[in-house]
Amino acid sequence: MTRVLVVNAGSSSIKTTLLDHDDTVLAHDSLPVEHGGFDADALAAALDRAPAPDAVGHRVVHGGSEFTEPVRLDDRVRDRLRDLADLAPLHQAKSLAGIDAVGRALPDVPAVACFDTAFHATLPPAAATYALPAAWRDRYALRRYGFHGLSHAYASRTAAELTGRSRTVVAHLGAGASLCAVRDGRSVDTTMGFTPLEGLVMATRSGSVDPGLLLWLIEHEGLAPADVADALEHDSGLTGLAGTGDLRDLLARDDDASRLAVDVYLHRLRAGIAAMAASLDGLDVLVFTGGVGEHSPQIRSRATDGLEFLGVALDLDRNAVETVTGAVDVGTSGAPVRTIVVESREDLEVAAGVRAVLTG
């Protein structure tokens, strides 16, 4: 298996990366997602410009309880993935559209789906189970699935190779954001749950909200559940607090709304890091990855401010880095906890999954 084309259809773009057998990048393209979709003709043109792949790997957000490992795509798998679309509305439909578009452009190339939920299949029952009636949990498969698993898997493994340490908390911070507690390469806790709405404050998503508040809005204000769901996905988080989900803009502004938005974001983030460390009975390595995690020294510094009791200490000069290739240690020398910034490479994780499925 030589060349693998990795397709990552996200909420704001669809990215294609062609990797050679040694994971050298042979071609890369990024097309915008607008009005809920992307230009299939532009995608086909981008694929025509690149060398022909031997296989295709698709990042798919939700695999449910059924898909806990990468799987070769066929009609049955596509149908099952469509059934899961309601659980990840920002991403699943776009992943399916990408699968269909690439399949039309490359009909004879085998394709594999790699799942963000799969890494969290190892969550212990205490971390995966909601305290809901057993009849509900059994009938509807209600549990905490977790997301961003491809990123968490790659970042935690990179950190382990660099440090030789086991207990790791990964902070994937981008437009979507989540934390993951990893011990010996296995996910043992995470902040996202049944859907990607749970957990941290994000660019447009609310993160965790008291369910009683939502029931109150539906019952007392007469809001339709679909409108509530849309607002939680698209109009909440940093956007709901300050009008934009771009942390760079918020950090550059000097007004009450932007300050409150950043403070709320950091409050939830710091608390989450400490909670993940508790799930690990301690902390050896803290990892930042994702667009914000990699490129914002200020967020990293403020997120770790007050976490000295865990052993976290940043070196201000090292932490000034805004562009990371591979991995960079930004912690103070001798600190009990190593703090690492890891370049997000979900494409490498997907390619590895493709090769495992197709070549064993």
Side-chain angles (χ1 to χ4, degrees), residues 99-186:
I99 289 170
D100 292 341
V102 174
R104 287 191 296 270
L106 303 169
D108 299 321
V109 179
V112 172
C114 300
F115 302 95
D116 266 328
T117 50
F119 184 61
H120 304 296
T122 58
L123 288 176
T129 304
Y130 286 113
L132 295 170
W136 291 5
R137 288 185 277 112
D138 295 340
R139 184 179 307 141
Y140 305 116
L142 302 182
R143 56 158 289 164
R144 302 185 68 247
Y145 288 103
F147 299 91
H148 291 141
L150 295 165
S151 175
H152 288 307
Y154 177 79
S156 60
R157 186 173 61 254
T158 299
E161 291 170 353
L162 183 65
T163 67
R165 299 185 181 187
S166 170
R167 299 174 301 177
T168 301
V169 171
V170 178
H172 175 100
L173 306 179
S178 67
L179 300 169
C180 184
V182 183
R183 180 189 287 115
D184 297 326
R186 295 166 64 87

Side-chain angles (χ1 to χ4, degrees), residues 61-62 87-89 91 147 192-198 202 205 233:
V61 169
H62 213 309
L87 300 182
H91 293 280
F147 299 91
M192 286 180 168
F194 182 66
T195 75
L197 270 173
E198 188 178 356
M202 298 170 241
R205 289 179 232 164
E233 288 278 2

Side-chain angles (χ1 to χ4, degrees), residues 318-341:
R318 291 179 178 177
N319 186 53
V321 63
E322 295 184 6
T323 301
V324 174
T325 300
V328 176
D329 191 327
V330 297
T332 300
S333 297
V337 172
R338 297 282 295 276
T339 304
I340 311 293
V341 181

Side-chain angles (χ1 to χ4, degrees), residues 63-349:
S65 299
E66 181 176 353
F67 300 115
T68 59
E69 294 180 346
V71 62
R72 185 161 179 169
L73 282 160
D74 57 25
D75 290 341
R76 183 194 70 84
V77 172
R78 287 185 180 87
D79 289 342
R80 291 294 299 120
L81 296 180
R82 289 188 179 91
D83 293 340
L84 297 169
D86 286 346
L87 300 182
L90 276 181
H91 293 280
Q92 197 82 347
K94 297 181 180 68
S95 294
L96 289 166
I99 289 170
D100 292 341
V102 174
R104 287 191 296 270
L106 303 169
D108 299 321
V109 179
V112 172
C114 300
F115 302 95
D116 266 328
T117 50
F119 184 61
H120 304 296
T122 58
L123 288 176
T129 304
Y130 286 113
L132 295 170
W136 291 5
R137 288 185 277 112
D138 295 340
R139 184 179 307 141
Y140 305 116
L142 302 182
R143 56 158 289 164
R144 302 185 68 247
Y145 288 103
F147 299 91
H148 291 141
L150 295 165
S151 175
H152 288 307
Y154 177 79
S156 60
R157 186 173 61 254
T158 299
E161 291 170 353
L162 183 65
T163 67
R165 299 185 181 187
S166 170
R167 299 174 301 177
T168 301
V169 171
V170 178
H172 175 100
L173 306 179
S178 67
L179 300 169
C180 184
V182 183
R183 180 189 287 115
D184 297 326
R186 295 166 64 87
S187 171
V188 300
D189 203 357
T190 190
T191 52
M192 286 180 168
F194 182 66
T195 75
L197 270 173
E198 188 178 356
L200 302 177
V201 173
M202 298 170 241
T204 66
R205 289 179 232 164
S206 62
S208 295
V209 175
D210 180 356
L213 181 156
L214 304 177
L215 294 173
W216 185 92
L217 285 171
I218 292 170
E219 180 180 357
H220 291 275
E221 293 301 308
L223 298 184
D227 292 337
V228 174
D230 185 69
L232 292 173
E233 288 278 2
H234 302 287
D235 300 319
S236 299
L238 296 171
T239 298
L241 291 167
T244 177
D246 192 326
L247 270 167
R248 293 168 299 184
D249 291 346
L250 295 176
L251 292 170
R253 281 166 45 180
D254 185 20
D255 57 78
D256 290 343
S258 62
R259 284 191 292 270
L260 176 63
V262 174
D263 286 347
V264 171
Y265 178 92
L266 291 168
H267 175 81
R268 190 75 61 86
L269 178 55
R270 278 192 295 265
I273 292 171
M276 292 296 109
S279 295
L280 294 168
D281 302 317
L283 182 62
D284 297 320
V285 186
L286 175 61
V287 177
F288 289 97
T289 191
V292 175
E294 293 173 41
H295 302 302
S296 180
Q298 187 174 352
I299 290 296
R300 293 194 298 264
S301 177
R302 294 179 64 179
T304 55
D305 187 27
L307 297 183
E308 292 84 357
F309 73 99
L310 290 176
V312 177
L314 294 193
D315 182 294
L316 295 181
D317 291 331
R318 291 179 178 177
N319 186 53
V321 63
E322 295 184 6
T323 301
V324 174
T325 300
V328 176
D329 191 327
V330 297
T332 300
S333 297
V337 172
R338 297 282 295 276
T339 304
I340 311 293
V341 181
V342 174
E343 179 187 13
S344 182
R345 290 299 305 271
E346 293 166 315
D347 58 330
L348 299 184
E349 199 69 20

